[in-house]
C-alpha cells in the first residue's frame, strides 16, 4: 500500500517469533497503543482456535478468557455491540468532539446577495431570430 510505504511501516513476512514481536512492538510504540497486545505464535494456533478469518471481534478478559465473541466479519459483527459491552463493563468513554476541517464545510454564500446566473460566452449565446 502506498500509505504504508510513505509511513515506513512495511515489513517482510516474519519467519520467527522474535520478528513477529518486533513488528508488534513497533506498532504499539509508533501508534501509542495503550492496551495489552496479543501476538500469535508462529504456528498461528490462536488464529486457528479463534477462527478470526477474515475478521472477528473478541474481548479477552483479565483472566485470559474469551468474554465476548462477535460474529464473523465483515457482515456478521457489530462494533456498536462491542462498544456497548465494553461500556457496561468498564464505563462509557467520551471522545472529544471533532471539529470539521475547512475542506469538509460547504462553501459559504453571501447572505445579502442572490447567486449570480452564469453568463454564456458571446459566441455560445443563442441567436434570436
Amino acid at each position: 500500500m502506498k500509505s504504508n510505504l510513505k509511513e515506513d511501516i512495511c515489513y517482510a513476512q516474519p519467519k520467527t517469533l522474535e520478528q513477529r514481536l518486533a513488528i508488534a512492538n513497533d506498532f504499539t510504540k509508533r501508534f501509542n497503543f495503550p492496551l495489552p497486545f496479543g501476538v500469535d505464535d508462529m504456528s498461528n494456533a490462536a488464529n486457528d482456535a479463534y477462527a478470526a478469518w477474515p475478521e472477528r471481534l473478541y474481548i479477552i478478559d483479565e483472566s485470559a478468557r474469551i468474554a465476548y465473541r462477535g460474529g464473523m466479519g465483515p457482515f456478521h459483527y457489530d462494533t456498536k455491540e462491542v462498544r456497548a459491552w465494553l461500556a457496561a463493563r468498564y464505563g462509557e468513554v467520551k471522545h472529544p468532539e471533532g471539529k470539521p476541517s475547512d475542506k469538509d464545510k460547504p462553501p459559504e454564500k453571501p447572505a445579502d446577495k442572490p447567486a449570480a446566473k452564469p453568463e454564456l460566452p458571446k459566441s455560445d449565446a443563442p441567436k434570436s431570430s
Side-chain angles (χ1 to χ4, degrees), residues 1 5 11 22 42 44 51 74 84 90-91 95 112 128:
M1 299 178 133
L5 292 171
Y11 301 98
M42 296 311 291
N44 295 322
Y90 300 106
H95 294 284
D112 56 340
S128 52

Side-chain angles (χ1 to χ4, degrees), residues 30-47:
R30 187 182 297 238
F31 297 102
N32 197 26
F33 199 76
L35 301 173
F37 201 85
V39 177
D40 207 349
D41 63 22
M42 296 311 291
S43 72
N44 295 322
N47 181 61

Side-chain angles (χ1 to χ4, degrees), residues 105-110:
K105 293 179 185 175
E108 292 184 21
K109 293 181 184 175

